[in-house]
Amino acid sequence: MAEQARTAAPPPGGRPAGPPASPAARPLLPAAADGVELVARFFRALGDPARLRLLEFLLGSEHTVSECVAHIGLSQGRVSVHLACLADCGYVQARRSGRFAWYKVADPRVADLVMLARSLAADNAAALADCVRITPDPAQQP
């Protein structure tokens, strides 16, 4: 912690002593504990298979709740709860038109995130399948 404080403060004169650190040398996560918690919450929002399926469905175009229900096969109430979670966390946004709410992905970077996650999961499929520290989703249990 003290070393972080030493490296974070600029030297006298306000200019760094050497060249800027490479991106690999800089920490990727926020230094503050609440910043790391925020990033963890960001990923927890994606920790439900139904929410991931909804996100993938919404990547192509906007859809109504009814279309989302038909696509993932859950009740309208469950889909609405998942969409509300995704909207509250900033992944999707709703557009009201009459009696209908149309949902779409709020940020195009979400597509990159989903594709990168799929790629990493595929590359690590055996390790993820054998992982005993993360319990399986109870909804997926027989």
Side-chain angles (χ1 to χ4, degrees):
M1 185 75 134
E3 181 159 336
Q4 280 183 339
R6 277 185 274 154
T7 58
R15 293 179 40 178
S22 71
R26 283 182 260 158
L28 296 175
L29 294 173
D34 58 341
V36 172
E37 176 58 35
L38 186 64
V39 173
R41 183 174 287 206
F42 174 87
F43 283 110
R44 278 196 302 272
L46 298 177
D48 185 280
R51 287 194 289 271
L52 282 175
R53 289 197 325 260
L54 281 168
L55 265 181
E56 284 187 327
F57 182 56
L58 295 170
L59 287 175
S61 62
E62 67 180 4
H63 294 280
T64 65
V65 175
S66 298
E67 292 170 334
C68 292
V69 166
H71 180 73
I72 68 168
L74 295 176
S75 71
Q76 186 272 329
R78 292 303 314 149
V79 169
S80 291
V81 166
H82 287 305
L83 287 170
C85 174
L86 291 170
D88 289 347
C89 292
Y91 287 102
V92 301
Q93 55 187 247
R95 175 181 62 84
R96 302 270 177 212
S97 178
R99 292 183 18 218
F100 297 97
W102 295 81
Y103 286 87
K104 69 177 184 177
V105 171
D107 187 324
R109 294 176 295 177
V110 170
D112 297 334
L113 179 65
V114 170
M115 294 310 295
L116 180 59
R118 278 192 168 277
S119 175
L120 287 166
D123 290 349
N124 295 292
L128 288 168
D130 291 342
C131 180
V132 295
R133 299 194 186 272
I134 300 173
T135 57
D137 181 8
Q140 301 295 322
Q141 296 296 315

Short mmCIF file of all heavy atoms in Angstrom, two decimals, residues 41-92:
data_model
loop_
_atom_site.label_atom_id
_atom_site.label_comp_id
_atom_site.label_asym_id
_atom_site.label_seq_id
_atom_site.Cartn_x
_atom_site.Cartn_y
_atom_site.Cartn_z
N ARG A 41 -19.42 -6.00 -9.15
CA ARG A 41 -20.87 -5.89 -9.35
C ARG A 41 -21.20 -5.88 -10.83
O ARG A 41 -22.19 -6.47 -11.27
CB ARG A 41 -21.40 -4.62 -8.68
CG ARG A 41 -22.89 -4.48 -8.78
CD ARG A 41 -23.37 -3.30 -8.00
NE ARG A 41 -23.27 -3.65 -6.59
CZ ARG A 41 -24.01 -3.10 -5.66
NH1 ARG A 41 -24.87 -2.17 -5.96
NH2 ARG A 41 -23.89 -3.48 -4.41
N PHE A 42 -20.37 -5.20 -11.63
CA PHE A 42 -20.52 -5.17 -13.08
C PHE A 42 -20.57 -6.59 -13.63
O PHE A 42 -21.42 -6.93 -14.45
CB PHE A 42 -19.35 -4.39 -13.68
CG PHE A 42 -19.27 -4.39 -15.17
CD1 PHE A 42 -19.95 -3.45 -15.91
CD2 PHE A 42 -18.49 -5.33 -15.84
CE1 PHE A 42 -19.87 -3.44 -17.30
CE2 PHE A 42 -18.40 -5.32 -17.22
CZ PHE A 42 -19.10 -4.38 -17.95
N PHE A 43 -19.67 -7.46 -13.16
CA PHE A 43 -19.64 -8.84 -13.64
C PHE A 43 -20.76 -9.68 -13.03
O PHE A 43 -21.27 -10.59 -13.68
CB PHE A 43 -18.28 -9.48 -13.37
CG PHE A 43 -17.23 -9.04 -14.35
CD1 PHE A 43 -16.19 -8.22 -13.95
CD2 PHE A 43 -17.29 -9.44 -15.68
CE1 PHE A 43 -15.24 -7.80 -14.87
CE2 PHE A 43 -16.35 -9.04 -16.59
CZ PHE A 43 -15.31 -8.21 -16.18
N ARG A 44 -21.15 -9.40 -11.78
CA ARG A 44 -22.25 -10.17 -11.18
C ARG A 44 -23.54 -10.00 -11.97
O ARG A 44 -24.34 -10.93 -12.06
CB ARG A 44 -22.46 -9.77 -9.72
CG ARG A 44 -21.51 -10.46 -8.76
CD ARG A 44 -21.98 -10.36 -7.32
NE ARG A 44 -22.17 -9.01 -6.84
CZ ARG A 44 -21.23 -8.26 -6.27
NH1 ARG A 44 -20.02 -8.72 -6.13
NH2 ARG A 44 -21.52 -7.05 -5.84
N ALA A 45 -23.73 -8.83 -12.55
CA ALA A 45 -24.93 -8.61 -13.36
C ALA A 45 -24.96 -9.55 -14.55
O ALA A 45 -26.03 -9.88 -15.06
CB ALA A 45 -24.99 -7.16 -13.83
N LEU A 46 -23.79 -9.99 -14.99
CA LEU A 46 -23.71 -10.92 -16.12
C LEU A 46 -23.65 -12.37 -15.67
O LEU A 46 -23.53 -13.27 -16.50
CB LEU A 46 -22.46 -10.60 -16.96
CG LEU A 46 -22.42 -9.22 -17.58
CD1 LEU A 46 -21.11 -9.02 -18.31
CD2 LEU A 46 -23.60 -9.00 -18.49
N GLY A 47 -23.73 -12.61 -14.39
CA GLY A 47 -23.55 -13.95 -13.84
C GLY A 47 -24.75 -14.87 -13.97
O GLY A 47 -24.69 -16.00 -13.51
N ASP A 48 -25.81 -14.42 -14.58
CA ASP A 48 -26.99 -15.26 -14.74
C ASP A 48 -27.15 -15.64 -16.20
O ASP A 48 -27.13 -14.77 -17.07
CB ASP A 48 -28.22 -14.47 -14.27
CG ASP A 48 -29.47 -15.33 -14.29
OD1 ASP A 48 -30.04 -15.50 -15.39
OD2 ASP A 48 -29.87 -15.82 -13.23
N PRO A 49 -27.30 -16.94 -16.50
CA PRO A 49 -27.43 -17.38 -17.89
C PRO A 49 -28.59 -16.71 -18.64
O PRO A 49 -28.47 -16.41 -19.83
CB PRO A 49 -27.64 -18.89 -17.79
CG PRO A 49 -27.07 -19.26 -16.47
CD PRO A 49 -27.27 -18.08 -15.57
N ALA A 50 -29.69 -16.48 -17.95
CA ALA A 50 -30.83 -15.83 -18.62
C ALA A 50 -30.48 -14.41 -19.04
O ALA A 50 -30.84 -13.97 -20.14
CB ALA A 50 -32.06 -15.83 -17.71
N ARG A 51 -29.77 -13.68 -18.19
CA ARG A 51 -29.38 -12.32 -18.55
C ARG A 51 -28.40 -12.32 -19.71
O ARG A 51 -28.47 -11.47 -20.60
CB ARG A 51 -28.81 -11.58 -17.34
CG ARG A 51 -29.89 -11.20 -16.35
CD ARG A 51 -29.42 -10.19 -15.33
NE ARG A 51 -28.49 -10.70 -14.37
CZ ARG A 51 -28.82 -11.26 -13.21
NH1 ARG A 51 -30.09 -11.39 -12.88
NH2 ARG A 51 -27.90 -11.68 -12.39
N LEU A 52 -27.49 -13.29 -19.73
CA LEU A 52 -26.56 -13.39 -20.87
C LEU A 52 -27.30 -13.70 -22.16
O LEU A 52 -27.02 -13.12 -23.21
CB LEU A 52 -25.49 -14.44 -20.61
CG LEU A 52 -24.36 -14.02 -19.69
CD1 LEU A 52 -23.43 -15.20 -19.42
CD2 LEU A 52 -23.58 -12.87 -20.28
N ARG A 53 -28.27 -14.62 -22.09
CA ARG A 53 -29.06 -14.94 -23.30
C ARG A 53 -29.85 -13.73 -23.77
O ARG A 53 -29.96 -13.46 -24.97
CB ARG A 53 -29.98 -16.13 -23.03
CG ARG A 53 -29.20 -17.44 -22.91
CD ARG A 53 -30.05 -18.70 -23.05
NE ARG A 53 -31.38 -18.67 -22.52
CZ ARG A 53 -31.77 -19.18 -21.36
NH1 ARG A 53 -30.89 -19.77 -20.57
NH2 ARG A 53 -33.02 -19.13 -20.98
N LEU A 54 -30.40 -12.97 -22.83
CA LEU A 54 -31.12 -11.75 -23.20
C LEU A 54 -30.19 -10.75 -23.86
O LEU A 54 -30.54 -10.15 -24.89
CB LEU A 54 -31.77 -11.12 -21.96
CG LEU A 54 -33.06 -11.76 -21.49
CD1 LEU A 54 -33.44 -11.23 -20.11
CD2 LEU A 54 -34.18 -11.50 -22.48
N LEU A 55 -29.02 -10.57 -23.29
CA LEU A 55 -28.05 -9.63 -23.90
C LEU A 55 -27.70 -10.05 -25.31
O LEU A 55 -27.68 -9.22 -26.22
CB LEU A 55 -26.78 -9.57 -23.05
CG LEU A 55 -26.68 -8.46 -22.04
CD1 LEU A 55 -25.36 -8.52 -21.31
CD2 LEU A 55 -26.90 -7.10 -22.64
N GLU A 56 -27.41 -11.33 -25.50
CA GLU A 56 -27.07 -11.80 -26.84
C GLU A 56 -28.22 -11.58 -27.82
O GLU A 56 -28.01 -11.18 -28.96
CB GLU A 56 -26.68 -13.28 -26.81
CG GLU A 56 -25.30 -13.51 -26.26
CD GLU A 56 -24.86 -14.96 -26.39
OE1 GLU A 56 -25.72 -15.87 -26.29
OE2 GLU A 56 -23.67 -15.18 -26.59
N PHE A 57 -29.44 -11.81 -27.35
CA PHE A 57 -30.61 -11.62 -28.20
C PHE A 57 -30.77 -10.15 -28.59
O PHE A 57 -31.12 -9.83 -29.72
CB PHE A 57 -31.85 -12.13 -27.47
CG PHE A 57 -33.13 -12.04 -28.25
CD1 PHE A 57 -33.26 -12.64 -29.50
CD2 PHE A 57 -34.22 -11.36 -27.72
CE1 PHE A 57 -34.45 -12.57 -30.21
CE2 PHE A 57 -35.42 -11.29 -28.44
CZ PHE A 57 -35.53 -11.89 -29.67
N LEU A 58 -30.46 -9.26 -27.66
CA LEU A 58 -30.63 -7.84 -27.91
C LEU A 58 -29.47 -7.21 -28.67
O LEU A 58 -29.56 -6.06 -29.08
CB LEU A 58 -30.83 -7.10 -26.58
CG LEU A 58 -32.11 -7.46 -25.83
CD1 LEU A 58 -32.10 -6.87 -24.44
CD2 LEU A 58 -33.34 -7.03 -26.61
N LEU A 59 -28.40 -7.95 -28.89
CA LEU A 59 -27.25 -7.40 -29.62
C LEU A 59 -27.61 -7.05 -31.06
O LEU A 59 -27.14 -6.05 -31.59
CB LEU A 59 -26.07 -8.37 -29.61
CG LEU A 59 -25.32 -8.51 -28.29
CD1 LEU A 59 -24.25 -9.58 -28.41
CD2 LEU A 59 -24.73 -7.20 -27.85
N GLY A 60 -28.47 -7.85 -31.68
CA GLY A 60 -28.81 -7.64 -33.08
C GLY A 60 -29.73 -6.46 -33.32
O GLY A 60 -29.54 -5.68 -34.24
N SER A 61 -30.76 -6.34 -32.49
CA SER A 61 -31.73 -5.26 -32.65
C SER A 61 -32.56 -5.16 -31.38
O SER A 61 -32.48 -6.02 -30.51
CB SER A 61 -32.63 -5.51 -33.86
OG SER A 61 -33.37 -6.69 -33.69
N GLU A 62 -33.39 -4.13 -31.32
CA GLU A 62 -34.23 -3.98 -30.14
C GLU A 62 -35.44 -4.92 -30.24
O GLU A 62 -35.88 -5.27 -31.33
CB GLU A 62 -34.65 -2.53 -29.93
CG GLU A 62 -35.56 -1.95 -30.95
CD GLU A 62 -35.93 -0.50 -30.65
OE1 GLU A 62 -35.41 0.10 -29.70
OE2 GLU A 62 -36.75 0.03 -31.40
N HIS A 63 -35.90 -5.34 -29.05
CA HIS A 63 -37.01 -6.28 -28.99
C HIS A 63 -37.93 -5.91 -27.83
O HIS A 63 -37.50 -5.30 -26.85
CB HIS A 63 -36.50 -7.71 -28.77
CG HIS A 63 -35.71 -8.25 -29.90
ND1 HIS A 63 -36.31 -8.76 -31.03
CD2 HIS A 63 -34.38 -8.36 -30.10
CE1 HIS A 63 -35.37 -9.17 -31.87
NE2 HIS A 63 -34.19 -8.93 -31.33
N THR A 64 -39.18 -6.34 -27.94
CA THR A 64 -40.14 -6.15 -26.86
C THR A 64 -39.93 -7.25 -25.81
O THR A 64 -39.27 -8.26 -26.06
CB THR A 64 -41.59 -6.23 -27.37
OG1 THR A 64 -41.83 -7.55 -27.86
CG2 THR A 64 -41.86 -5.19 -28.45
N VAL A 65 -40.55 -7.05 -24.66
CA VAL A 65 -40.50 -8.07 -23.61
C VAL A 65 -41.11 -9.36 -24.13
O VAL A 65 -40.57 -10.45 -23.89
CB VAL A 65 -41.22 -7.58 -22.33
CG1 VAL A 65 -41.29 -8.69 -21.29
CG2 VAL A 65 -40.54 -6.36 -21.75
N SER A 66 -42.20 -9.28 -24.87
CA SER A 66 -42.84 -10.48 -25.41
C SER A 66 -41.91 -11.25 -26.33
O SER A 66 -41.86 -12.49 -26.29
CB SER A 66 -44.12 -10.11 -26.18
OG SER A 66 -45.04 -9.51 -25.32
N GLU A 67 -41.15 -10.55 -27.15
CA GLU A 67 -40.18 -11.22 -28.03
C GLU A 67 -39.07 -11.86 -27.21
O GLU A 67 -38.61 -12.97 -27.53
CB GLU A 67 -39.61 -10.22 -29.03
CG GLU A 67 -40.61 -9.73 -30.05
CD GLU A 67 -40.12 -8.57 -30.89
OE1 GLU A 67 -39.25 -7.80 -30.44
OE2 GLU A 67 -40.62 -8.44 -32.03
N CYS A 68 -38.66 -11.19 -26.14
CA CYS A 68 -37.62 -11.75 -25.26
C CYS A 68 -38.14 -13.01 -24.57
O CYS A 68 -37.42 -14.01 -24.45
CB CYS A 68 -37.17 -10.72 -24.24
SG CYS A 68 -36.26 -9.32 -24.93
N VAL A 69 -39.41 -12.98 -24.13
CA VAL A 69 -40.03 -14.14 -23.48
C VAL A 69 -40.04 -15.32 -24.45
O VAL A 69 -39.66 -16.44 -24.11
CB VAL A 69 -41.47 -13.80 -23.01
CG1 VAL A 69 -42.24 -15.06 -22.66
CG2 VAL A 69 -41.41 -12.85 -21.83
N ALA A 70 -40.47 -15.07 -25.69
CA ALA A 70 -40.53 -16.14 -26.69
C ALA A 70 -39.14 -16.68 -26.99
O ALA A 70 -38.98 -17.89 -27.21
CB ALA A 70 -41.19 -15.62 -27.97
N HIS A 71 -38.15 -15.82 -26.97
CA HIS A 71 -36.80 -16.26 -27.32
C HIS A 71 -36.16 -17.12 -26.24
O HIS A 71 -35.55 -18.14 -26.54
CB HIS A 71 -35.91 -15.05 -27.60
CG HIS A 71 -34.51 -15.42 -27.96
ND1 HIS A 71 -34.18 -15.97 -29.19
CD2 HIS A 71 -33.35 -15.37 -27.24
CE1 HIS A 71 -32.88 -16.22 -29.21
NE2 HIS A 71 -32.36 -15.87 -28.05
N ILE A 72 -36.28 -16.72 -24.97
CA ILE A 72 -35.57 -17.48 -23.94
C ILE A 72 -36.46 -18.43 -23.15
O ILE A 72 -35.95 -19.25 -22.39
CB ILE A 72 -34.76 -16.57 -22.97
CG1 ILE A 72 -35.66 -15.73 -22.10
CG2 ILE A 72 -33.78 -15.72 -23.71
CD1 ILE A 72 -34.88 -15.07 -20.98
N GLY A 73 -37.77 -18.35 -23.33
CA GLY A 73 -38.65 -19.35 -22.75
C GLY A 73 -38.90 -19.23 -21.27
O GLY A 73 -39.30 -20.22 -20.64
N LEU A 74 -38.72 -18.08 -20.69
CA LEU A 74 -39.05 -17.87 -19.29
C LEU A 74 -40.36 -17.09 -19.22
O LEU A 74 -40.83 -16.54 -20.21
CB LEU A 74 -37.94 -17.08 -18.58
CG LEU A 74 -36.60 -17.77 -18.45
CD1 LEU A 74 -35.58 -16.83 -17.82
CD2 LEU A 74 -36.71 -19.04 -17.63
N SER A 75 -40.94 -17.03 -18.02
CA SER A 75 -42.18 -16.28 -17.86
C SER A 75 -41.93 -14.79 -18.08
O SER A 75 -40.81 -14.30 -17.94
CB SER A 75 -42.74 -16.49 -16.45
OG SER A 75 -41.91 -15.83 -15.50
N GLN A 76 -43.01 -14.08 -18.39
CA GLN A 76 -42.91 -12.65 -18.62
C GLN A 76 -42.38 -11.94 -17.38
O GLN A 76 -41.57 -11.03 -17.48
CB GLN A 76 -44.29 -12.09 -19.04
CG GLN A 76 -44.28 -10.63 -19.45
CD GLN A 76 -44.46 -9.67 -18.29
OE1 GLN A 76 -45.13 -10.00 -17.31
NE2 GLN A 76 -43.87 -8.51 -18.40
N GLY A 77 -42.81 -12.38 -16.21
CA GLY A 77 -42.34 -11.77 -14.97
C GLY A 77 -40.84 -11.92 -14.78
O GLY A 77 -40.15 -10.96 -14.39
N ARG A 78 -40.32 -13.14 -15.02
CA ARG A 78 -38.87 -13.38 -14.86
C ARG A 78 -38.08 -12.57 -15.87
O ARG A 78 -37.05 -11.99 -15.56
CB ARG A 78 -38.54 -14.86 -15.02
CG ARG A 78 -39.03 -15.77 -13.94
CD ARG A 78 -38.58 -15.45 -12.52
NE ARG A 78 -37.17 -15.16 -12.40
CZ ARG A 78 -36.67 -14.31 -11.48
NH1 ARG A 78 -37.45 -13.71 -10.64
NH2 ARG A 78 -35.39 -14.08 -11.42
N VAL A 79 -38.54 -12.53 -17.12
CA VAL A 79 -37.84 -11.77 -18.16
C VAL A 79 -37.82 -10.28 -17.79
O VAL A 79 -36.79 -9.62 -17.92
CB VAL A 79 -38.46 -12.01 -19.55
CG1 VAL A 79 -37.92 -11.04 -20.57
CG2 VAL A 79 -38.21 -13.45 -19.99
N SER A 80 -38.94 -9.78 -17.31
CA SER A 80 -39.01 -8.37 -16.91
C SER A 80 -38.02 -8.06 -15.79
O SER A 80 -37.38 -7.01 -15.80
CB SER A 80 -40.43 -7.99 -16.48
OG SER A 80 -41.29 -8.01 -17.59
N VAL A 81 -37.91 -8.97 -14.82
CA VAL A 81 -36.96 -8.77 -13.72
C VAL A 81 -35.53 -8.75 -14.26
O VAL A 81 -34.72 -7.89 -13.88
CB VAL A 81 -37.14 -9.86 -12.64
CG1 VAL A 81 -35.97 -9.89 -11.67
CG2 VAL A 81 -38.45 -9.67 -11.91
N HIS A 82 -35.19 -9.68 -15.15
CA HIS A 82 -33.85 -9.71 -15.72
C HIS A 82 -33.57 -8.47 -16.56
O HIS A 82 -32.47 -7.90 -16.49
CB HIS A 82 -33.65 -10.97 -16.56
CG HIS A 82 -33.50 -12.22 -15.75
ND1 HIS A 82 -32.56 -12.36 -14.75
CD2 HIS A 82 -34.18 -13.39 -15.79
CE1 HIS A 82 -32.67 -13.56 -14.20
NE2 HIS A 82 -33.65 -14.21 -14.82
N LEU A 83 -34.54 -8.04 -17.35
CA LEU A 83 -34.35 -6.82 -18.15
C LEU A 83 -34.19 -5.60 -17.26
O LEU A 83 -33.38 -4.71 -17.54
CB LEU A 83 -35.51 -6.64 -19.12
CG LEU A 83 -35.54 -7.59 -20.31
CD1 LEU A 83 -36.87 -7.48 -21.05
CD2 LEU A 83 -34.37 -7.34 -21.24
N ALA A 84 -34.94 -5.54 -16.16
CA ALA A 84 -34.81 -4.43 -15.22
C ALA A 84 -33.41 -4.41 -14.61
O ALA A 84 -32.80 -3.34 -14.46
CB ALA A 84 -35.88 -4.52 -14.14
N CYS A 85 -32.90 -5.58 -14.26
CA CYS A 85 -31.54 -5.67 -13.73
C CYS A 85 -30.53 -5.16 -14.75
O CYS A 85 -29.66 -4.35 -14.42
CB CYS A 85 -31.22 -7.12 -13.33
SG CYS A 85 -29.49 -7.37 -12.81
N LEU A 86 -30.65 -5.64 -15.98
CA LEU A 86 -29.73 -5.21 -17.04
C LEU A 86 -29.84 -3.71 -17.30
O LEU A 86 -28.84 -3.04 -17.55
CB LEU A 86 -29.98 -6.00 -18.32
CG LEU A 86 -29.59 -7.48 -18.27
CD1 LEU A 86 -30.12 -8.21 -19.50
CD2 LEU A 86 -28.08 -7.64 -18.14
N ALA A 87 -31.05 -3.18 -17.22
CA ALA A 87 -31.25 -1.74 -17.43
C ALA A 87 -30.67 -0.95 -16.26
O ALA A 87 -29.99 0.06 -16.46
CB ALA A 87 -32.73 -1.43 -17.60
N ASP A 88 -30.91 -1.40 -15.03
CA ASP A 88 -30.39 -0.71 -13.85
C ASP A 88 -28.86 -0.67 -13.85
O ASP A 88 -28.27 0.29 -13.36
CB ASP A 88 -30.87 -1.38 -12.56
CG ASP A 88 -32.34 -1.17 -12.30
OD1 ASP A 88 -32.96 -0.31 -12.95
OD2 ASP A 88 -32.89 -1.88 -11.42
N CYS A 89 -28.24 -1.70 -14.41
CA CYS A 89 -26.78 -1.78 -14.45
C CYS A 89 -26.19 -1.12 -15.69
O CYS A 89 -24.97 -1.10 -15.87
CB CYS A 89 -26.32 -3.23 -14.35
SG CYS A 89 -26.67 -3.96 -12.73
N GLY A 90 -27.05 -0.62 -16.57
CA GLY A 90 -26.58 0.11 -17.73
C GLY A 90 -26.27 -0.72 -18.97
O GLY A 90 -25.73 -0.20 -19.94
N TYR A 91 -26.62 -1.99 -18.96
CA TYR A 91 -26.36 -2.84 -20.12
C TYR A 91 -27.37 -2.63 -21.24
O TYR A 91 -27.04 -2.74 -22.40
CB TYR A 91 -26.36 -4.33 -19.73
CG TYR A 91 -25.15 -4.73 -18.95
CD1 TYR A 91 -25.21 -4.89 -17.58
CD2 TYR A 91 -23.95 -4.96 -19.59
CE1 TYR A 91 -24.09 -5.26 -16.86
CE2 TYR A 91 -22.83 -5.33 -18.88
CZ TYR A 91 -22.91 -5.47 -17.51
OH TYR A 91 -21.80 -5.83 -16.80
N VAL A 92 -28.63 -2.40 -20.86
CA VAL A 92 -29.68 -2.19 -21.85
C VAL A 92 -30.45 -0.92 -21.51
O VAL A 92 -30.38 -0.43 -20.38
CB VAL A 92 -30.66 -3.39 -21.96
CG1 VAL A 92 -29.94 -4.67 -22.32
CG2 VAL A 92 -31.46 -3.57 -20.69
#
